[in-house]
Amino acid sequence: MGIDSFCSLDGSDPFWDWNRTWQTHNPDLTPCFQNTVLVWIPCLLLWLFAPFYILYLKRNDRGYICMTHLNRAKTVIGFTLWLICWADVFYSFWERSLGATIAPVYLVSPTMLGVTMLLATFLIQYERRKGVQSSGVMLNFWLIAIVCATVTFRSKILHALNEPASVNVFKYTTFYIYYTMLLISLILACLSDQPPLFSQAVKDSNPCPELGASFLSRITFWWITGLMVTGYKRPLEEKDLWSLNTEDKSQRVVPQLVRRWDQECNKVKRPVDKTLYSPKRAARGEKKDGQPIEESEILLAKTLQKTGEPSLFCALCQTFGPYFLVSSLYKIIHDILMFVGPEILRLLIQFVNDSSAPTWHGYFYTTLLFVCTCVQTLILQKYFHVCFVTGMRLRTAIVGAVYRKALVITNAARRTSTVGEIVNLMSVDAQRFMDLITYINMIWSAPLQVILALYFLWQNLGPSVLAGVAVMVLMVPVNAVIAMKTKTYQVAQMKSKDNRIKLMNEVLNGIKVLKLYAWELAFKDKVSAIRESELRVLKKTAYLGAVSTFTWVCAPFLVALSTFAVYVLMDEHNILDAQKAFVSLALFNILRFPLNMLPMVISSMVQASVSMKRLRVFLSHEELDEDNVERPAITASPDSIRIVDGAFSWSKDDSPTLKRINVRIPEGALVAVVGHVGSGKSSLLSALLGEMQKQEGSVSIKGSVAYVPQQAWIQNTTLKDNILFGRDAKDSWYQKVVEACALLPDLEILPGGDLTEIGEKGVNLSGGQKQRVSVARAIYCNCAVYLLDDPLSAVDAHVGKHIFEKVIGPQGLLQGRTRVLVTHGLSFLPQADLILVMVDGEITEMGSYTELLGRQGAFAEFLHTYTNTEQEEVEESVGAVPRKGLENGGPAAVLGQSQISLNAAGTGKTPEKTEPSDVAAAKKAKSTEAARLTEADKANTGRVKLSVFWEYTKAIGLPLSIFSFFLFFCHHLSSLGSNYWLSLWTDDPVINNTQPNREMRLGVYGALGLTQGIAVFCYSVAVSVGGILASRYLHQTMLYNVLRSPMSFFERTPSGNLVNRFAKETDTIDSVIPSIIKMFMGSMFNVLGSCAVILIATPLVAIIIPPLGLLYFFVQRFYVASSRQLKRLESVSRSPVYTHFNETLLGTSVIRAFGEQQRFIRESDGRVDHNQKAYFPSIVANRWLAVRLEFVGNCIVAFAALFAVMARDSLSPGIMGLSISYALQVTTSLNWLVRMSSELETNIVAVERVKEYGDTEKEAEWRLEHSTLPAGWPTTGHIEIRNFGLRYREDLELAISDISVNIEGGEKVGIVGRTGAGKSSLTLGFFRIIEAAQGEICVDAVNIAELGLHELRSRITIIPQDPVLFSGSLRMNLDPFDGYTDEEVWRALELAHLKNFVSGLPDKLNHECSEGGENLSLGQRQLVCLARALLRKTKILVLDEATAAVDLQTDNLIQSTIRTQFEDCTVLTIAHRLNTIMDYTRVLVLDKGQMAEFDSPSNLTAKKGIFYKMAKDSGLV
């Protein structure tokens, strides 16, 4: 039985009839087709998808949704539809019973439809049970059903109008009801139901609207519009961002990856049998002295051995693969749809050529084109959305996995990679994966696109296509070579950039020294030299870039030219008509994208594979063994700590660092560990913490552990949070702890009390304060066992004594706890219960102080070595009353002591003038504003001002800017011209199957193309060179402005911000902005050109373009406002992730000791999620924009086609082809234009930020024009200070005031005073680092305020407190201007006792100093500073004496050299050790910023004033 007889028994109703459907002015489908295909399509689709869909719903259960009116309505309508279908079936049976002949189709189709409607109703309920708020499957089903029914609906109405007699009333009625119900169903399916019970969204304050959005809203990204509107009205803030979806959060994503990775690791480990001997404790039977007898038993243990490398790739694929595969499906559909455009273009041109074709064909093609482009848009954006979300999850997972791993790797593994490298794993490598994910599908999609395009081209032009393909294939190696070259240049540029940043970093860190020595210019030249070499490389890159732009822009043209030339010249009967030419052009445009993408994707994959390897290596590192330390039950034994036969090493393969360790420490004991440097004291504590690899023996610790490391680890939070360390706040206990650690005086000084924000690594605390905070953290935790690694080394003797008494000692806060104290302070040893003496990693002696002294062993020897050097301190700690607990350095700010006042007022905003009373001042200073130390980098809001663009144009130079613009214009004009010429060519009349003047046409076409190429090359070079000129000018001015800034500027501005300007912003100006400008101009001219062509072809479009333009403009403004702010929020929230990670890496041992890993992991996850919270909306905003813009583009295409169809009689096919092929391109150009304009706005901010240091305050001039200074000034070195005073900032009190002193030439004067008395302030005033607020200083009768700063600073010399060296040769560090001969330099080194050391170096004077002079010891650096002073040998020397930095030996060397070499000079010494200045001529005693005493040391001692007290404290009188 054929399909015809299935529809009508007599075959009167055929299945298909061309005359009825296509070749007619009023088309209609046959009833048979309507009753079979149009009914079956929706049914079959639903039955096909239902099983998969039900399975999917079963897997993804979201909780059920309560019955709502919406759901009831859907269900009722489903049932009604089912009833209607059954009514049809029964009616047919009824007719049959009356004897009518009924074709089978009238029974089969309604039955099938009825069953399908039941399935639909079932699905509606099942979705409700599984928590689906809006269903895409059902919406599509209703949509297809209604489209199919609409055809039948139209034909039924036509039938009723034409042949009213043959209408079956019952069936018509049921059909109309059915049609209405379908419409209602479709409308209901567009709405969204309420959220399921118990879902996250209910509890969340600001849930992501995506989950509750309807299907339509989801595919068009309508659900983000609310956020965009907010962003348009006012700049977005943190609180506007939605919470992340559960499946994107760290706590969901990271464990998945970690689990899969662990499975991979376990796959490659295979067990191996290994024999172990284990000491077995006898249950009873102890020897006389209570030592348990040991027996050994043999154990067979299974250990795991690696057989290969675990695959990170597999782990990633298993975790993210399934979700990502969906995107591949989207991509295939999109790729196929891409070729619909050219096909329809072919049909349209054919339609214009064939005047007999019915008009509706044109409208049909236009509609089809519009629908296809819209579907293509939605699918492509959905594809990108899936890709970006996968990328985002991937980054979250990698960051989380790396963080978790960093907390457990062994110290040996930790040493294999620097902190910076590990942070790079999180930032750079994770980012590379994110970038790759969006492109990875191109690996199979690009070849697919190329094959399809070639197939269609072959259909169109035959073999001559191969000419075009050959040109394309030739372009690929050219581009590859260019890419390789660019890569090598990039490496070279990065190297210069790294050097420049390193140098800048040092300049900024040592800026004070540069200013004191007047060396700014030397370093400015050094930076500029590196910068020039960097710009040379940039210029080469620019020329290469121009060549690659040239190939990229001209490739499509050359391809078209070669193909058309071969096609036309091969055979003169080959006619180039519109259809062939323009369809080929459209296909060539499609081809261009995959061919250019492939090399990019491949290089991106190579980079990602490198990153993958680095991640794999890091994630495979050894982890710390949990069983290194046993934790016995509280009641097990009286010993708190016990090590039996311990041998420990830092990694499995090392020889043991600690050997034969046997220790038993009873509960509550105070144990001191002593020994020389490097004898293994700290290692012993690490072994107790389980940080070392236990090679044999056993360790057990009872109870919780607190640990104070040797180098205090401080977090970047408030001081209080540093002490609480995640515990609950208990005020009374907290007060006790702070008091015991002598932190109260510091809290008074810190601007915000204990709420002061501590900078990274504790920059705004002195060493001693950091150490005390670290001790306070340990005490606050209230643990059973305390391991203290030399916490008293960094504090002054009296503070150390205070802490020992109040905290560690027998009467301290920790009495009754087990304390293990590593120490060098001999005065504490008599109070210890037990002393362990360590030599070379072994405990040689143990016992109490008196026992050990009696033995005359290593301990007694150790005492003798140290007592001599500590004599003074011990005396002081016995006799002196503990002074106010502030060790030198106070809250060390950048400038030394008297800086307190600067911090006190905070630097954010300036408080109002304080009242005279100290109380008020103190209260105001403690304000929260004051608690902030630095000014954070501000995220600018609002639009970028036009003035910034103007600044940039000026930096390029106006003539060059105008010339570039003109070249752009030429290029686009010739491009339009060549295509217009092509359309004229295709319209040439055909005579005898040939086109007469085709050689002329071909020649002009080629010439126009050549013009285009030249213009492209020129503008590319012009823009790049302009960019380089601009960046050179901007960098130079910024460098000069920064160096001219006063010291106060550098204290306020974190060096990170400044380095950022020199690194990131400069890089943006160098390489990003020029390329963005090129693309922006290109896409702008493209859009304008396309619009012009469409207007010329079909002037009617003029009605449409303005409203579409307005719509486009609004969408763009809307988007840019939000996107810019989201980008800022994202970058502001990104740095905390890395800062926190950095901090964690430095403090892993502390975190592990306190057992706080989980809290830190939560904190890190929280920060990552916080960052992704800003990143997610910005992805969606991009998709939102793309959908809207492509819709505008699709409208332009549709209208161009529509008006072309309407004007088919007056249009030539050539012009029509030109118009539509331009319209097809407009979508991508529009997309690019918005992308680029927002990129341009985002990136041009760099110019603004670089310029902003031009407006900050500057120091006085470096050199005055008409200087009257005598050549050898100062000749005698006579200093007169009259009524001198200065303040740190306008709104602060005077730091020192009313100082009047007269110092004769050649006098030696000491300046003393307690911390904060104003000693350093006086020297700062002397060098005019801070300008005088009152009075003046005259040197040899010249007022120093009237000199240029360099004239002043280069004629007096200072040896600063902390010796700063710069990376570079030793010679450069001594004499950066090359002003002295080698002999003079050697002479200075000899006098500074460095000659032997330097002549022993392989490079002698050219010895490279590393950053900060790290490869010289502290004492040597101090001597280098002395050599600088000896080299300059000026009449006045200022000595800011180094406090704890230098050992006594170096100190004596320096003092003796100064006495001999600077005999006839005036020497001012700021003294901390009074014994150095007891033989000076006079001493100036400062107190609270005023002069207290000024006389010779002997007279002052006799006066019994302040000086006498200080001398007594130091044990000198």
Side-chain angles (χ1 to χ4, degrees), residues 48 121 123 278 298 305 369 398-399 711 718 912 940 943 1005 1055 1104 1233 1268 1348 1382 1453 1463:
L48 192 70
T121 316
L123 280 176
S278 133
I298 296 178
Q305 199 179 12
L369 186 61
I398 287 174
V399 171
Q711 279 199 311
T718 62
E912 318 82 276
N940 299 348
R943 285 193 64 177
Y1005 188 58
S1055 65
I1104 294 302
L1233 186 58
T1268 52
D1382 277 4
L1453 280 179
E1463 215 172 338

Side-chain angles (χ1 to χ4, degrees), residues 154-181:
R154 173 178 175 269
S155 107
K156 277 208 184 328
I157 288 178
L158 287 176
H159 183 228
L161 290 174
N162 297 337
E163 308 168 28
S166 65
V167 170
N168 181 331
V169 180
F170 182 80
K171 282 195 173 170
Y172 268 57
T173 317
T174 52
F175 180 76
Y176 290 147
I177 297 174
Y178 165 78
Y179 188 74
T180 321
M181 291 295 168

Side-chain angles (χ1 to χ4, degrees), residues 829-883:
L829 296 181
Q831 305 186 45
D833 303 324
L834 180 65
I835 297 174
L836 308 180
V837 184
M838 295 201 67
V839 179
D840 293 334
E842 296 191 38
I843 298 179
T844 51
E845 300 180 88
M846 52 203 293
S848 68
Y849 187 72
T850 40
E851 282 174 28
L852 293 179
L853 268 185
R855 283 190 205 160
Q856 289 298 320
F859 179 67
E861 186 193 325
F862 174 77
L863 275 186
H864 285 299
T865 338
Y866 273 92
T867 25
N868 310 338
T869 53
E870 289 222 347
Q871 204 61 49
E872 300 168 24
E873 291 186 23
V874 178
E875 279 174 25
E876 182 184 333
S877 64
V878 178
V881 192
R883 323 187 274 231

Side-chain angles (χ1 to χ4, degrees), residues 751-752 904-911 924-934:
T907 46
K909 301 199 176 72
T910 51
K924 281 202 184 159
K926 290 269 190 288
S927 70
T928 45
E929 191 49 65
R932 299 222 1 263
L933 171 73
T934 51

Side-chain angles (χ1 to χ4, degrees), residues 1365-1385:
L1365 265 65
F1366 298 97
S1367 60
S1369 66
L1370 194 61
R1371 169 152 196 149
M1372 194 276 317
N1373 267 301
L1374 292 168
D1375 170 29
F1377 287 103
D1378 279 336
Y1380 301 94
T1381 61
D1382 277 4
E1383 287 70 46
E1384 291 173 299
V1385 176

